[in-house]
Amino acid sequence: MLRPAVPPFRRLILPRALAGLLPILVALLVGACPVGAAAWALEAGPFAESGASARASSASLAAAPTGPAAAGAALPDPASVALAPAEEQAQPAFAPSPSPLAAAPASVQAAMAPLAKPRSFVAEAVQRVAASVVRIDTERNVPPGGLDPAFSDPLLRELFGDPSSRSRERGQGSGVVIDRQGLVLTNAHVVDGVDRVEVTLADGQQVDGSVLGTDPVTDLAVVRIEPGAELRAAPLGDSEALEVGDWAIALGTPYGLERTVTLGIVSSLHRNINSLGFSDKRLELIQTDAAINPGNSGGPLINGAGEVVGINTLVRSGPGAGLGFAIPINLAKEVAGQLGRGTKVVHPYLGVQLVPLTARLAREHNRDPNALVTLPERDGALIQTVLPDSPAQRAGLRRGDLVVAAADQAVANPARLLRLVEASHIGESLAITVLRGDRELRLTIRPEALPAAG
């Protein structure tokens, strides 16, 4: 018996109907399994825009087991899924993004980290020395002057007291600890003639001090205090290594204001103190524009590395104010070594007063028709005065002699001659070459101790 053939349209419609039902069945199966849905959702995305890929996916799903047993094994009980503990439930397919800075390389993290507070080289230099800077307070008796003769009466002295006992003068300066055994370097004029010395350390502790020795010629002095664990010696530098334009930092207690710091540069070197009006001193100073005020005397002048290169000693007041001067630390170390041992500092001297002479000045002088003497037209140290009963007089030096060499070294100015004399030894022969008129003479002189120092 012949059966009617299945119409062609039915053969086409049936597969299409099954294909239409298949996504519905998959959706139902996926809806019952959250894990499967999440995986499918992630995997189906790329196929959404490709018809061929979508068909291939449908074919793979159609080939999966569809029997009741397979369905039962694939689908867990919805109730059991809903009641499962939270820690047993599947984790979401996404996680919080890590911090961009945490994932960055270490170099990037260091660059993005908060910047430390910047510090200047001045603060670093001061930190090396600040603990060694001290304040020095002094007291001295002032001799009474111009008292009424009536006060010589014992009865009046008993009634009104002794005026001289109330005449006390107080002073204040600075200093720097140079030895942990308790040696403090300062200026001679800070402690000259004082009866009492009190030293205030950087931490505020106050201790008594005693003057070991002073050298008025170089304006240096050493004070001893009781050594303690808190004492810290300042690092000493090399003043010969200084150049004009180097940084200069002055520390001290001007006007009693402790821990004061001022900044400037080295304005000049080898400034002769005699040119500043101090004829009783023998110094070549460091000139600086760092502010040095009353009370800074004796405090350290340091370089940019935090090393002491000078001891503050002078300040210009009035016209030209703002110029300060310091004693080179190389000279201060030499003098402090002698004073610290309790020995006096002896300075050789010749017994002459000198003025600088250049060839140009000599020519101008010789052109004057009223000139009494003819000067040698050369650079040197011109003797203006020969002191009586001095080494210079005994050696035969005269006024008008031009010193052009000493110790076989050329002398172009008085400062050079003084340096050579300072380097000589008491009582030993020193060769001097002078020009007297048109003659060149070579004399021998024996320096003696400077009277003011002995």
Side-chain angles (χ1 to χ4, degrees):
M1 181 175 179
L2 297 175
R3 294 181 180 179
V6 179
F9 71 92
R10 292 185 62 182
R11 290 195 299 270
L12 296 175
I13 292 174
L14 185 59
R16 291 180 180 179
L18 292 175
L21 292 174
L22 187 60
I24 297 175
L25 294 174
V26 171
L28 291 175
L29 292 173
V30 170
C33 180
V35 176
W40 183 85
L42 291 174
E43 295 175 359
F47 303 114
E49 298 180 359
S50 173
S53 300
R55 286 192 296 272
S57 177
S58 299
S60 64
L61 289 174
T66 57
L75 297 178
D77 184 5
S80 65
V81 173
L83 298 177
E87 59 271 13
E88 296 180 4
Q89 295 183 10
Q91 297 298 322
F94 62 91
S97 300
S99 170
L101 182 59
S107 59
V108 176
Q109 295 186 35
M112 297 179 65
L115 296 177
K117 182 180 178 181
R119 297 189 64 183
S120 70
F121 77 95
V122 179
E124 298 289 347
V126 169
Q127 187 177 20
R128 293 192 64 192
V129 185
S132 307
V133 181
V134 301
R135 189 184 77 196
I136 299 178
D137 293 284
T138 62
E139 287 187 4
R140 73 188 81 195
N141 287 321
V142 178
L147 292 178
D148 191 327
F151 279 100
S152 61
D153 189 327
L155 179 59
L156 293 178
R157 286 181 181 270
E158 184 179 351
L159 291 175
F160 298 101
D162 188 354
S164 62
S165 63
R166 294 176 297 179
S167 185
R168 303 282 290 176
E169 183 180 78
R170 291 179 173 84
Q172 186 264 323
S174 303
V176 57
V177 178
I178 59 172
D179 191 305
R180 291 194 62 184
Q181 298 304 311
L183 297 184
V184 177
L185 184 60
T186 185
N187 285 148
H189 72 261
V190 171
V191 295
D192 185 28
V194 300
D195 303 306
R196 181 174 179 271
V197 176
E198 184 180 73
V199 178
T200 303
L201 304 179
D203 60 1
Q205 181 183 359
Q206 294 180 331
V207 296
D208 291 331
S210 59
V211 180
L212 280 185
T214 63
D215 181 30
V217 177
T218 58
D219 195 27
L220 291 169
V222 171
V223 173
R224 179 184 292 279
I225 60 178
E226 287 299 322
E230 68 278 1
L231 291 183
R232 180 176 169 183
L236 305 183
D238 181 8
S239 53
E240 289 297 326
L242 283 177
E243 295 183 3
V244 173
D246 284 347
W247 289 112
I249 308 169
L251 288 78
T253 57
Y255 304 106
L257 303 175
E258 299 180 3
R259 295 177 292 279
T260 299
V261 178
T262 56
L263 175 65
I265 62 169
V266 175
S267 306
S268 181
L269 295 169
H270 306 295
R271 182 71 72 196
N272 194 294
I273 194 172
N274 300 131
S275 65
L276 303 175
F278 295 87
S279 59
D280 60 335
K281 308 293 181 187
R282 190 179 292 179
L283 282 172
E284 289 186 346
L285 301 171
I286 302 168
Q287 180 179 320
T288 177
D289 64 348
I292 297 176
N293 297 297
N296 267 124
S297 292
L301 183 74
I302 67 175
N303 58 18
E307 300 170 330
V308 179
V309 293
I311 301 298
N312 304 323
T313 185
L314 292 175
V315 60
R316 174 77 176 185
S317 59
L323 297 180
F325 301 91
I327 303 167
I329 194 61
N330 288 12
L331 173 63
K333 286 188 288 188
E334 181 180 348
V335 173
Q338 298 181 56
L339 296 178
R341 293 190 297 267
T343 61
K344 293 183 178 180
V345 180
V346 178
H347 298 275
Y349 95 116
L350 302 181
V352 293
Q353 292 180 350
L354 305 169
V355 294
L357 181 69
T358 63
R360 182 181 64 82
L361 291 176
R363 284 193 295 268
E364 292 178 358
H365 171 82
N366 294 336
R367 292 194 192 105
D368 185 355
N370 298 317
L372 298 178
V373 295
T374 300
L375 297 177
E377 296 182 1
R378 287 181 58 177
D379 295 349
L382 184 65
I383 298 178
Q384 189 176 38
T385 304
V386 177
L387 300 179
D389 195 24
S390 65
Q393 184 187 41
R394 286 188 282 272
L397 292 175
R398 299 179 183 177
R399 178 182 180 182
D401 287 348
L402 181 68
V403 181
V404 296
D408 297 324
Q409 298 187 41
V411 171
N413 50 58
R416 177 60 176 166
L417 178 58
L418 288 176
R419 283 199 296 271
L420 294 174
V421 172
E422 188 71 21
S424 65
H425 299 282
I426 303 297
E428 295 186 3
S429 298
L430 176 67
I432 297 287
T433 302
V434 301
L435 298 179
R436 183 178 296 169
D438 56 356
R439 295 184 301 163
E440 181 175 297
L441 303 176
R442 184 178 177 87
L443 305 175
T444 300
I445 187 170
R446 295 182 183 273
E448 297 178 5
L450 185 66

